[in-house]
Amino acid sequence: MSQFPSLEKALKHYFGYDSFRPGQKQIVEQALKNQDSLIVMPTGGGKSLCFQLPAMLKKGLTVVVSPLISLMQDQVEALRNNGISATFLNSSINSWQVRHREESIRNGHTKLLYVAPERLLSEKFLPFLDLVQHQVGIAGFAIDEAHCVSEWGHDFRPEYRQLKLLRQRYPDVPVMALTATATERVRQDIIQQLHLQNPFIHIASFNRQNLYYEIRPKAKSSYTELLLQIRQAKGAVIVYCLSRKGVDELTLRLQKDEVNALPYHAGLSDEERSVNQTRFIRDDVQVMVATVAFGMGINKPDVRLVIHYDLPRNIESYYQEAGRAGRDGEPADCTIYFSYGDLKKIEWAIDQKSDEQEQKIARQQLRRMIDYAEGTDCRRTIQLSYFGEYFAGNCGKCDNCCHPKPTEDWTIEAMKFLSCVARCKERFGMNYIIDVLRGSKNQKILQNKHHELSTYGIGKDKTADEWKFLGRSLIHQGILEQSTDGYAILKLNGLSWEVMRRQRQVFLAIPTQKKVTQEEKNLKKAGMEVLYERLRALRKKLADDQGVPPYVIFHDSTLKLMAQVQPETLLAFGELSGVGSSKLSQYGAVFLKEIRAYRQEKGLSVATDNGKIETPAPSTTQLMSLHLFQQGLNVEEIAQQRNLKPSTIFVHLAELWEMGETVDIDKLVSPERQKVIWKAMQEIGNAELLKPIYEYLEEEYSYGEIRIVRALWREKQNN
Ligand code: ADP
Ligand code: ZN
């Protein structure tokens, strides 16, 4: 710990962040004191950092237990991009790789190891762990998704129960358990099952401050609205539908409208699902249309919009699903399109359940969901109260707080509606009543002679949807009853008669459209959008070069800062939140170049010394690679020894060369191969983007080799 004057400095160095999220600092401090802990934070709260930073500051290996293979890989990639030596062991790698990684661990080169519980507890692995403990020490165990130990949780995994063995075997190694599950029962279970000793407990608020919640009425025009929302979204979008059929239809429709969308549901093959998911994570495709099966195992932090195109079943699942938006803490929107038609579908599904108790619970939950959708109170207050958390309201980030619905006096309309129900002798459903009110020539009405009623045709001034809105609202205000025998016959009650006798008024909250947020306006005003988009495109290219998701390079928030601050030196660039020392050396120069190009095109001042961007000094990690290279190791060997990818080593060496260090280029790329690559660059006429060159060469030459030759090319251009 001594190398950093404060935890904030260490945070900036390794992760590039300026400040801790709520709770993180205390948690890290406790971890450094080797205290057991239980961390409960909502999705996106920043749990990983709570064990990753201590891992960097403590001696020895930190072992992270994680149930999901795809998540493991993502986390390790993100860590490596921060220059942190992390690795994982699971069934996706071969025995040669396993041996190699184990060796790197035993040599103390690896700080963080991700491993699935079944491997960790296997008879072969435990002796290895003993060896590690003996040779380099185990700094701590982090148990991610710790609710998996509990039968009360939503994702019980029996193998998690065995994890208490760790406590018995390594009584002095601290354990940190982490989860996003909110219930008290699960928390107690985690403490008991894992034998946590006098743990430090941190329970964060479940209020996700960066999310904007809204409900929109679902009508015929909703598809157009949805399309507009997607087109305006600055990034990835998830649209949830209730059924596979719904998913397929909507995907097709969006694709026809030239939206880059893919489906995800249980009807697709494993392979298709996994391909679609990866394309979404990597921003190759903007929109994922999915059933709620999608989203459990991904931690894409930069989802900007989650739409529920059908009504969610209950508030808890809604909270979790909508919570997949904005994990990076940046503003994101969560919209539900709500229609009474959907309600019918869910009610029907509930009726099919055979267990009466289950039916009852499902109905209660649905009831609360409807109250939420129809309510005029702050959405956050309702959501959080569901988790037993008190929230005073007026969050300023939900439709009800931002655009309080004007309440209108609809007493006269209600009187018309109710008396029509009375005159039809309380024997019909909603649509029939509305037909009568609107003077329909429907056969059934004529047969029943209802065209002779005094209420026939008195409601032509309102649309059927408006009448329906009133009817539903009367039901939910308890002013009208609806039979539950499947026929949904409307019946009057005491309150109905009060209205008809003018003893009670009826008010309706009329839904309104969402306005453009202040932040969107600000961004537009400054014309920064254009630069932001350019930086996004650059990020995507860099990510593709490395085969990683874009957020691994920089988060949206960091790109936004770049677009706002428009730094012109590496020093200023390094100060942006999200730029740590490793990312500064890897990406600083390229992004500065893009910003500079933008400013020049706009005719803005550009700080230069002779038109050259200040060259960075080599970073420690680059120098380590260089050192090994000069000792005669080849790229593969350096990569192995440093537990990095060969492509990263190529990046190091190319950049070192560009900084003026001595690197024997011919040893990296043979002169014959250099020539071919050079020729391709001449053909293309530009070498800034590697991908076109890579493709031009029909993938016969690696990105690393192309990168090296590009360094030569750049030198030629500058002279
Ligand atoms: P969780 O596991 O709790 O859902 P993560 O650990 O994935 O959350 O963190 C969510 C996102 O927030 C990640 O993209 C992470 O990099 C980012 N993050 C974490 N801590 C900070 C911080 N102190 N400042 C800025 N961003 C942070
Ligand atoms: Zn609110």
Side-chain angles (χ1 to χ4, degrees):
M1 170 77 228
S2 55
Q3 69 199 104
F4 297 101
S6 68
L7 280 179
E8 280 79 5
K9 284 268 159 28
L11 176 70
K12 176 73 190 164
H13 176 82
Y14 290 112
F15 297 95
Y17 300 133
D18 294 333
S19 55
F20 287 99
R21 292 255 183 90
Q24 283 178 333
K25 188 169 180 185
Q26 295 89 300
I27 296 167
V28 171
E29 281 167 352
Q30 294 297 326
L32 291 175
K33 285 188 206 151
N34 291 328
Q35 174 81 30
D36 278 358
S37 56
L38 168 65
I39 313 302
V40 184
M41 276 190 188
T43 304
K47 285 185 283 298
S48 323
L49 197 122
C50 298
F51 56 82
Q52 288 170 349
L53 185 58
M56 299 316 294
L57 299 174
K58 287 168 81 169
K59 244 179 62 147
L61 177 76
T62 295
V63 180
V64 186
V65 181
S66 168
L68 300 162
I69 290 183
S70 58
L71 274 186
M72 251 182 225
Q73 204 156 340
D74 280 3
Q75 290 224 2
V76 166
E77 259 165 21
L79 283 166
R80 288 205 186 154
N81 235 277
N82 271 321
I84 291 170
S85 66
T87 194
F88 63 85
L89 292 173
N90 63 30
S91 51
S92 74
I93 56 173
N94 63 35
S95 60
W96 180 85
Q97 286 169 309
V98 171
R99 234 176 303 127
H100 174 66
R101 289 178 186 192
E102 287 185 350
E103 199 177 295
S104 155
I105 292 167
R106 271 197 293 117
N107 293 336
H109 293 317
T110 302
K111 292 302 291 177
L112 276 147
L113 166 67
Y114 284 74
V115 60
E118 54 277 13
R119 174 181 290 261
L120 179 67
L121 301 166
S122 69
E123 292 197 359
K124 252 172 88 185
F125 195 77
L126 285 170
F128 168 73
L129 213 55
D130 287 342
L131 210 64
V132 175
Q133 166 78 319
H134 182 69
Q135 291 185 343
V136 294
I138 299 175
F141 293 107
I143 317 285
D144 211 0
E145 315 288 349
H147 56 271
C148 293
V149 299
S150 174
E151 275 169 325
W152 300 103
H154 54 78
D155 192 15
F156 175 54
R157 290 167 192 252
E159 64 277 17
Y160 258 67
R161 282 277 160 96
Q162 308 305 317
L163 286 170
K164 57 172 171 277
L165 204 122
L166 294 176
R167 177 37 38 92
Q168 287 150 14
R169 212 167 161 120
Y170 310 103
D172 297 327
V173 177
V175 175
M176 179 185 287
L178 307 106
T179 177
T181 303
T183 66
E184 174 62 26
R185 188 155 206 174
V186 175
R187 287 170 201 162
Q188 287 310 324
D189 228 14
I190 293 173
I191 295 176
Q192 276 172 15
Q193 294 292 337
L194 293 178
H195 293 216
L196 299 186
Q197 278 159 17
N198 190 16
F200 168 72
I201 300 180
H202 178 86
I203 296 168
S205 164
F206 273 62
N207 181 6
R208 299 279 310 277
Q209 296 184 21
N210 57 318
L211 302 187
Y212 179 90
Y213 296 104
E214 64 170 357
I215 313 275
R216 301 184 181 204
K218 186 164 162 189
K220 290 223 170 60
S221 62
S222 291
Y223 173 76
T224 319
E225 251 181 82
L226 175 103
L227 195 61
L228 192 71
Q229 269 192 298
I230 291 176
R231 288 195 174 137
Q232 287 176 344
K234 296 257 165 301
V237 180
I238 303 175
V239 185
Y240 284 116
C241 300
L242 216 53
S243 65
R244 295 176 194 181
K245 189 161 155 267
V247 168
D248 287 334
E249 284 172 2
L250 187 62
T251 312
L252 215 64
R253 212 164 161 195
L254 287 170
Q255 285 169 346
K256 278 205 183 116
D257 283 312
E258 288 175 9
V259 172
N260 201 350
L262 283 176
Y264 188 103
H265 57 63
L268 302 175
S269 68
D270 285 355
E271 157 120 37
E272 275 173 298
R273 277 209 305 268
S274 129
V275 167
N276 291 1
Q277 171 166 321
T278 306
R279 297 195 58 200
F280 178 67
I281 290 173
R282 302 215 165 152
D283 286 349
D284 290 329
V285 60
Q286 186 200 3
V287 181
M288 188 61 94
V289 186
T291 57
V292 292
F294 176 73
M296 284 295 270
I298 65 158
N299 70 346
K300 185 172 175 54
D302 47 9
V303 175
R304 297 270 71 90
L305 171 64
V306 172
I307 292 176
H308 281 74
Y309 203 50
D310 294 315
L311 189 70
R313 278 158 221 266
N314 61 59
I315 294 187
E316 171 139 31
S317 23
Y318 177 63
Y319 174 86
Q320 300 292 356
E321 287 149 22
R324 290 167 192 154
R327 293 176 67 144
D328 53 9
E330 286 296 292
D333 290 344
C334 309
T335 306
I336 298 177
Y337 282 90
F338 174 58
S339 86
Y340 294 100
D342 291 347
L343 203 58
K344 284 263 163 56
K345 282 187 227 157
I346 301 180
E347 276 168 349
W348 185 85
I350 294 175
D351 288 342
Q352 307 311 305
K353 288 185 197 280
S354 52
D355 183 342
E356 233 172 77
Q357 184 61 17
E358 249 181 69
Q359 272 193 1
K360 205 170 133 199
I361 293 172
R363 281 216 183 85
Q364 276 170 1
Q365 289 183 329
L366 183 60
R367 179 76 250 162
R368 290 193 72 167
M369 193 65 228
I370 298 167
D371 289 344
Y372 175 79
E374 293 191 320
T376 48
D377 293 335
C378 172
R379 306 280 183 208
R380 278 191 162 67
T381 306
I382 308 178
Q383 281 189 17
L384 293 172
S385 81
Y386 198 85
F387 297 117
E389 199 177 320
Y390 172 72
F391 183 78
N394 256 324
C395 71
K397 272 214 159 153
C398 75
D399 50 355
N400 285 344
C401 291
C402 294
H403 318 286
K405 295 189 186 85
T407 48
E408 288 180 9
D409 186 340
W410 277 53
T411 311
I412 301 289
E413 286 80 3
M415 286 168 70
K416 289 182 184 170
F417 193 102
L418 296 170
S419 52
C420 192
V421 174
R423 289 186 199 275
C424 292
K425 305 264 185 303
E426 302 178 58
R427 278 174 30 220
F428 297 89
M430 179 102 61
N431 290 335
Y432 186 88
I433 300 295
I434 293 172
D435 277 350
V436 175
L437 283 167
R438 301 191 68 244
S440 153
K441 303 235 160 35
N442 172 337
Q443 239 354 96
K444 216 166 133 203
I445 292 180
L446 302 178
Q447 267 169 23
N448 290 332
K449 296 207 183 319
H450 283 157
H451 60 292
E452 290 168 9
L453 295 176
S454 60
T455 48
Y456 181 76
I458 59 171
K460 284 186 179 151
D461 58 326
K462 296 251 179 295
T463 65
D465 276 344
E466 285 170 316
W467 283 116
K468 220 174 260 182
F469 187 71
L470 170 68
R472 298 303 315 194
S473 187
L474 290 174
I475 293 171
H476 289 118
Q477 292 184 39
I479 301 174
L480 182 64
E481 311 279 329
Q482 190 175 36
S483 73
T484 53
D485 56 4
Y487 296 101
I489 307 276
L490 297 180
K491 307 256 179 202
L492 303 171
N493 63 18
L495 295 184
S496 326
W497 289 103
E498 284 182 21
V499 173
M500 284 189 278
R501 287 191 214 107
R502 288 192 171 271
Q503 288 162 343
R504 169 180 289 273
Q505 287 180 298
V506 175
F507 292 96
L508 289 195
I510 308 297
T512 47
Q513 300 294 318
K514 187 201 159 197
K515 311 249 171 8
V516 181
T517 67
Q518 195 54 40
E519 200 194 351
E520 280 161 4
K521 278 189 205 148
N522 289 345
L523 207 65
K524 283 215 176 75
K525 204 166 62 202
M528 288 176 316
E529 251 180 327
V530 182
L531 177 55
Y532 180 65
E533 287 309 323
R534 282 176 69 155
L535 297 173
R536 275 181 75 91
L538 173 61
R539 175 179 69 171
K540 174 72 176 131
K541 269 163 217 139
L542 293 169
D544 285 347
D545 283 356
Q546 297 180 44
V548 298
Y551 67 80
V552 167
I553 312 271
F554 284 122
H555 280 176
D556 287 357
S557 54
T558 307
L559 291 193
K560 248 181 228 168
L561 276 176
M562 278 180 218
Q564 268 162 19
V565 178
Q566 304 184 3
E568 296 189 57
T569 62
L570 278 170
L571 203 65
F573 192 87
E575 276 171 5
L576 299 178
S577 179
V579 185
S581 57
S582 164
K583 292 197 176 168
L584 177 63
S585 68
Q586 285 184 73
Y587 307 121
V590 233
F591 278 89
L592 281 179
K593 196 163 171 196
E594 188 71 26
I595 293 168
R596 214 175 93 103
Y598 166 81
R599 289 183 65 86
Q600 265 170 344
E601 283 166 32
K602 285 246 139 189
L604 298 167
S605 69
V606 182
T608 67
D609 39 57
N610 311 331
K612 253 192 148 182
I613 298 261
E614 134 200 24
T615 30
S619 65
T620 327
T621 179
Q622 287 174 325
L623 289 175
M624 275 158 75
S625 299
L626 181 63
H627 182 65
L628 294 174
F629 182 66
Q630 284 168 344
Q631 284 182 346
L633 272 66
N634 66 27
V635 170
E636 290 293 324
E637 288 162 343
I638 301 173
Q640 256 183 42
Q641 192 161 120
R642 300 209 52 208
N643 204 4
L644 294 170
K645 291 186 189 162
S647 57
T648 311
I649 308 299
F650 272 113
V651 173
H652 287 170
L653 295 173
E655 285 179 355
L656 285 161
W657 195 82
E658 290 185 70
M659 286 180 227
E661 299 289 330
T662 318
V663 180
D664 188 348
I665 297 253
D666 291 352
K667 248 168 85 189
L668 284 167
V669 189
S670 73
E672 298 82 66
R673 289 177 80 83
Q674 283 181 33
K675 260 187 226 143
V676 182
I677 299 174
W678 187 272
K679 205 156 154 262
M681 289 173 179
Q682 280 177 323
E683 289 293 325
I684 293 173
N686 174 335
E688 278 325 298
L689 302 182
L690 300 178
K691 201 167 177 190
I693 302 168
Y694 181 69
E695 283 167 1
Y696 183 92
L697 292 167
E698 293 178 332
E699 313 189 355
E700 298 272 324
Y701 293 75
S702 74
Y703 276 112
E705 291 175 300
I706 300 171
R707 208 180 270 283
I708 296 294
V709 178
R710 182 177 67 176
L712 299 170
W713 171 274
R714 279 181 175 163
E715 192 199 36
K716 180 101 184 290
Q717 307 294 311
N718 285 336
N719 295 326

